[in-house]
C-alpha cells in the first residue's frame, strides 16, 4: 500500500498525466520512420503587465521509438517585436539574434513538457499581440510547426467556491450556481464553462448552448469521468465584473456516495482542444433554454481572442449521499501437485448499493492476506507488496492495492502462486481489508466507514488437498448498476468491467455472500481538473487488472 502522502500526490495528477482538454493546446501529430512526433502548443498566452515572465507551454515527444531521443524547438522572435521578448532563459533554451532554440530529451513513450518564458516588451501597449511561429524537430528529421498568439495583459477569471453538501438522499437533486469574477485587465468576449460530474451525479436538464458528452467505451481512457458538459455563453466579463451563471441541477443516483463535480471556466473556445475531447466522449447538442450569465447574450465574439492570465479558473464541489456499500472479502484455493503447490486467489467485491470513489486518491480498501508458517510465495501479483508486521511469528502479510474507485457490482482478484510444505497439516490464509489508517496486521480488518456490514470483511481460506468451498452464508446478488434520478440527458455508458489478470472462472470463493464466477475489476482513474488543463491521472499502482 502506498503511503497517504504518496497517494495524495498521485491524486493531484503527478503520475501518467495526459492532456485531454488543455487551455489552448492543439495536437499536431506527424509520422516519422522511427516513431510518431507529437507537439501540442498553447494557442494563446497572456503576458503580465508587471514585466514578470510567464511560460509558453509546448508538450513534445516522439512515441513508438525504441529508445529516447532529442527534440529541438525553434522560433523566430521578430514577429513579437514591440509586444514580447524572451524571458530569463531556462536550461536548454538559448537565443541568438532573433532566433530562439530549445532542446528537450524525451523517452520512447512519454510526452515531456517544454516551457519557454516570455514577458511583455518594455512600453508594450495593453492588448498588443503577436504570433510566434515555432518548429519542432526530432533527431530523426520529423518536424511539426505551431502558432501561438502572445498578448499583453489578459483576463483573469476566478471561480468562487461552490458549497459542498452532505447527507443528500439518493434519488434527490442538487442545484448549483457558479460565480465568476474577472480580476484581469482585459474583458472576455465569451464565457465557456466545462463541467465534469462524477458517476453518481447526472445532468438534469439540457441547455441549448451546451454540448453534453458521454464516454465512448470503444475509444476511451479507463476510469474516465463519464460525462462532460461544454457550455458556450456569448457574453463576456469586463475587468472587475462578477457574473453569475444560471443554476444547474444534478440528479443524485442510487449508487451515489462520495460524489463531486469539477468546474472550469475559459475566456473562449479557442482555449479548449475539442478534437482531443471527441476522441473519448460522444457529444450531443443540448436543447431548451440557453445557459446565461444572468443577462442577455451579446452575440458571437469578434476580434483577437483574449487569453487568461490564470490559464483557467477551477472549482470542485462535493456531494456526500446517505448511502452505504457492502464490501465482501473473497478467497479461493486451487491445489496442484498433491496440494504441495497451488493458486490462491484473494479479492474484493462491492455488493453496493453505492459505488465508492475516494477523491483523496486513497484506496477505498486494499486486500490484505496473511499466509501461515509453512507456506511460501513462488509468485505474487505486481500490485501486492510484502508488509512489515512486528512479531509476526513467521506469518507473511501481503497488501494488494485496489485503487480509489470500486463501482457497484465490481470484483477484483489477485493471484498468488504458493508452495505448501505439508498439505495434510492445517494451513489457513486469512483475507482482510486494509485502508490508509490501518496498519498491516495478522488478522484484523479495517473498519470501513461506508460499510455497515463488517461480518463479511474477512475470509479464511484452507490451503489443503481440496479446493476451497464456498461460504455457507446465503448468496447475495450484486446490486444493479446505478440509474440516474429522472435524468433528461442520455445516461452515460459505464465501461464494462474486464476480467482481472490471472482471474479464473471455475474457482469457488469463500466470503460473505460469495458466489462462484468471474472476478472482474473496474478502472481506478479519474479526471483531475486544474492547473491549466483537464488531466487524466492514472491513480493505480502497477495494474492489478486491465480494461
Amino acid at each position: 500500500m502506498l503511503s497517504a502522502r504518496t497517494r495524495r500526490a498521485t491524486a493531484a495528477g503527478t503520475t501518467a498525466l495526459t492532456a485531454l482538454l488543455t487551455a489552448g493546446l492543439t495536437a499536431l501529430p506527424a509520422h516519422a520512420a522511427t516513431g510518431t512526433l507529437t507537439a501540442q502548443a498553447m494557442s494563446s498566452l497572456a503576458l503580465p503587465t508587471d514585466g514578470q515572465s510567464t511560460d509558453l507551454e509546448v508538450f513534445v515527444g516522439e512515441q513508438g521509438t525504441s529508445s529516447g531521443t532529442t527534440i529541438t524547438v525553434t522560433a523566430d522572435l521578430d514577429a513579437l517585436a514591440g509586444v514580447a521578448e524572451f524571458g530569463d532563459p531556462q536550461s536548454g533554451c538559448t537565443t541568438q539574434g532573433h532566433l530562439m532554440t530549445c532542446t528537450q530529451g524525451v523517452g520512447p513513450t512519454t510526452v515531456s513538457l517544454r516551457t519557454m518564458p516570455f514577458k511583455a516588451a518594455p512600453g508594450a501597449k495593453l492588448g498588443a499581440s503577436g504570433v510566434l511561429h515555432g518548429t519542432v524537430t526530432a533527431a530523426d528529421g520529423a518536424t511539426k510547426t505551431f502558432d501561438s498568439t502572445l498578448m499583453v495583459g489578459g483576463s483573469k477569471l476566478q471561480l468562487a467556491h461552490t458549497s459542498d453538501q452532505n447527507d443528500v438522499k439518493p434519488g434527490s437533486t442538487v442545484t448549483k450556481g457558479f460565480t465568476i469574477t474577472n480580476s484581469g485587465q482585459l474583458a472576455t468576449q465569451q464565457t465557456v464553462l466545462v463541467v465534469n460530474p462524477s458517476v453518481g451525479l447526472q445532468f438534469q436538464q439540457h441547455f441549448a448552448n451546451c454540448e453534453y458528452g458521454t464516454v465512448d467505451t470503444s475509444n476511451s481512457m479507463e476510469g474516465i469521468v463519464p460525462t462532460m458538459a461544454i457550455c458556450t455563453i456569448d457574453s463576456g466579463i469586463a475587468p472587475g465584473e462578477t457574473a453569475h451563471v444560471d443554476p444547474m441541477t444534478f440528479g443524485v443516483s442510487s449508487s451515489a456516495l462520495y460524489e463531486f463535480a469539477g468546474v472550469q471556466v475559459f475566456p473562449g473556445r479557442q482555449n479548449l482542444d475539442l478534437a482531443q475531447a471527441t476522441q473519448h466522449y460522444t457529444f450531443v447538442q443540448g436543447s431548451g433554454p440557453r445557459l446565461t450569465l444572468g443577462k442577455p447574450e451579446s452575440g458571437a465574439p469578434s476580434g483577437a481572442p483574449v487569453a487568461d492570465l490564470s490559464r483557467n479558473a477551477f472549482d470542485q464541489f462535493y456531494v456526500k449521499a446517505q448511502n452505504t456499500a457492502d464490501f465482501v472479502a473473497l478467497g479461493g484455493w486451487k491445489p496442484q501437485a498433491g496440494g504441495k503447490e497451488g493458486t490462491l486467489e484473494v479479492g474484493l467485491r462491492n455488493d453496493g448499493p453505492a459505488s465508492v470513489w475516494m477523491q483523496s486518491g486513497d484506496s477505498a480498501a486494499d486486500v490484505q492476506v496473511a499466509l501461515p508458517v509453512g507456506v511460501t510465495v513462488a509468485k505474487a501479483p505486481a500490485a501486492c507488496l510484502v508488509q512489515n508486521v512486528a512479531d509476526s511469528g513467521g506469518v507473511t502479510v501481503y497488501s494488494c492495492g485496489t485503487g480509489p474507485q470500486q463501482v457497484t457490482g465490481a470484483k477484483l482478484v489477485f493471484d498468488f502462486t504458493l508452495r505448501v510444505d505439508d498439505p495434510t497439516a492445517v494451513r489457513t490464509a486469512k483475507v482482510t481489508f486494509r485502508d490508509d489508517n490501518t496498519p498491516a496486521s495478522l488478522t484484523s480488518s479495517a473498519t470501513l466507514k461506508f460499510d455497515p456490514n463488517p461480518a463479511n470483511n474477512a475470509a479464511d481460506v484452507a490451503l489443503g488437498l481440496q479446493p476451497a468451498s464456498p461460504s455457507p452464508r446465503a448468496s447475495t446478488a450484486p446490486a444493479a448498476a446505478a440509474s440516474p434520478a429522472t435524468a433528461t440527458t442520455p445516461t452515460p455508458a459505464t465501461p464494462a468491467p474486464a476480467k482481472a489478470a490471472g482471474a479464473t472462472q471455475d474457482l469457488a470463493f469463500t466470503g460473505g455472500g460469495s458466489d462462484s464466477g468471474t472476478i472482474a475489476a473496474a478502472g481506478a482513474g479519474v479526471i483531475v481538473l486544474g492547473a491549466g488543463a483537464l488531466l487524466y491521472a492514472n491513480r493505480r499502482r502497477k495494474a492489478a487488472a486491465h480494461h
Side-chain angles (χ1 to χ4, degrees):
M1 173 180 283
L2 295 179
S3 68
R5 178 179 299 177
T6 302
R7 286 175 183 269
R8 291 186 180 99
T10 304
T14 59
T15 60
L17 295 180
T18 304
L20 176 59
L21 270 180
T22 303
L25 292 188
T26 52
L28 304 169
H31 295 284
T34 57
T36 300
L37 177 64
T38 60
Q40 295 177 295
M42 299 176 64
S43 63
S44 59
L45 177 69
L47 303 174
T49 57
D50 59 3
Q52 296 295 311
S53 294
T54 189
D55 289 331
L56 175 67
E57 298 178 353
V58 182
F59 289 86
V60 293
E62 190 166 27
Q63 301 189 11
T65 57
S66 58
S67 61
T69 186
T70 299
I71 289 177
T72 302
V73 182
T74 58
D76 190 335
L77 301 178
D78 275 353
L80 302 179
V83 175
E85 58 186 33
F86 195 64
D88 297 328
Q90 296 180 337
S91 174
C93 286
T94 61
T95 57
Q96 185 173 3
H98 59 85
L99 184 66
M100 176 192 70
T101 303
C102 299
T103 58
Q104 175 76 55
V106 298
T109 59
T110 60
V111 177
S112 298
L113 172 64
R114 162 59 62 197
T115 59
M116 297 175 289
F118 286 90
K119 59 185 178 181
K125 295 182 179 180
L126 183 65
S129 64
V131 177
L132 180 73
H133 181 74
T135 301
V136 180
T137 305
D140 58 22
T143 62
K144 284 308 296 181
T145 61
F146 65 86
D147 289 329
S148 294
T149 300
L150 277 61
M151 179 176 288
V152 179
S155 62
K156 191 172 183 179
L157 301 180
Q158 297 172 313
L159 264 169
H161 177 61
T162 304
S163 61
D164 302 330
Q165 287 185 245
N166 294 316
D167 298 323
V168 177
K169 293 182 178 180
S172 65
T173 61
V174 295
T175 300
K176 298 292 183 180
F178 309 109
T179 300
I180 308 167
T181 298
N182 182 1
S183 58
Q185 306 93 1
L186 298 177
T188 62
Q189 301 179 55
Q190 273 186 332
T191 303
V192 178
L193 198 71
V194 179
V195 184
N196 282 93
S198 60
V199 68
L201 298 178
Q202 303 294 332
F203 294 109
Q204 288 296 286
Q205 77 271 58
H206 270 151
F207 292 100
N209 53 336
C210 294
E211 300 158 75
Y212 295 88
T214 55
V215 168
D216 180 358
T217 57
S218 66
N219 183 22
S220 66
M221 295 179 291
E222 64 179 62
I224 194 169
V225 173
T227 56
M228 171 190 294
I230 302 175
C231 302
T232 304
I233 304 171
D234 288 332
S235 294
I237 304 176
E241 180 185 1
T242 295
H244 302 277
V245 181
D246 297 335
M248 285 186 170
T249 301
F250 302 86
V252 182
S253 76
S254 60
S255 68
L257 182 59
Y258 305 129
E259 305 304 327
F260 70 96
V263 185
Q264 286 179 290
V265 62
F266 300 90
R269 291 178 66 88
Q270 77 280 353
N271 296 87
L272 284 75
D273 187 356
L274 298 177
Q276 287 283 341
T278 54
Q279 292 182 20
H280 306 287
Y281 289 87
T282 300
F283 287 92
V284 296
Q285 190 69 43
S287 58
R290 291 181 67 85
L291 188 70
T292 74
L293 299 182
K295 59 184 180 182
E297 293 179 278
S298 54
S302 60
V306 174
D308 197 75
L309 288 163
S310 62
R311 302 291 174 90
N312 71 297
F314 166 72
D315 183 43
Q316 186 162 280
F317 66 85
Y318 296 87
V319 175
K320 170 65 169 62
Q322 296 176 355
N323 211 351
T324 62
D326 185 13
F327 277 19
V328 180
L330 305 174
W333 170 245
K334 186 175 181 178
Q336 297 171 342
K340 292 185 177 181
E341 60 185 52
T343 300
L344 171 68
E345 294 192 353
V346 300
L348 176 155
R349 186 180 72 239
N350 179 10
D351 280 355
S355 295
V356 181
W357 287 51
M358 304 299 289
Q359 298 311 308
S360 65
D362 301 341
S363 289
D366 285 345
V367 177
Q368 179 178 272
V369 57
L371 301 173
V373 177
V375 175
T376 57
V377 176
K379 183 178 180 181
C384 301
L385 303 177
V386 177
Q387 305 298 300
N388 292 322
V389 179
D391 302 323
S392 66
V395 174
T396 305
V397 178
Y398 277 81
S399 185
C400 304
T402 63
Q405 174 190 350
Q406 295 297 329
V407 300
T408 302
K411 298 179 183 179
L412 186 63
V413 72
F414 304 91
D415 295 357
F416 287 83
T417 301
L418 303 183
R419 295 190 179 97
V420 181
D421 62 353
D422 183 0
T424 63
V426 178
R427 298 279 190 262
T428 301
K430 297 183 178 296
V431 184
T432 55
F433 293 145
R434 180 187 172 197
D435 61 18
D436 264 16
N437 299 316
T438 305
S441 69
L442 301 181
T443 57
S444 62
S445 188
T447 299
L448 307 178
K449 59 184 179 181
F450 52 80
D451 186 348
N453 181 25
N456 55 16
N457 289 1
D460 291 342
V461 186
L463 306 177
L465 296 171
Q466 301 299 321
S469 300
S471 166
R473 301 185 186 109
S475 176
T476 303
S483 58
T486 62
T488 58
T489 58
T491 301
T494 301
K499 191 172 78 171
T504 54
Q505 299 186 36
D506 58 351
L507 272 184
F509 281 85
T510 64
S514 66
D515 55 0
S516 177
T518 303
I519 304 298
V526 297
I527 290 283
V528 177
L529 300 91
L534 282 175
L535 298 175
Y536 172 72
N538 182 354
R539 291 175 173 174
R540 284 193 308 184
R541 292 169 296 262
K542 295 179 181 179
H546 309 283
H547 268 286

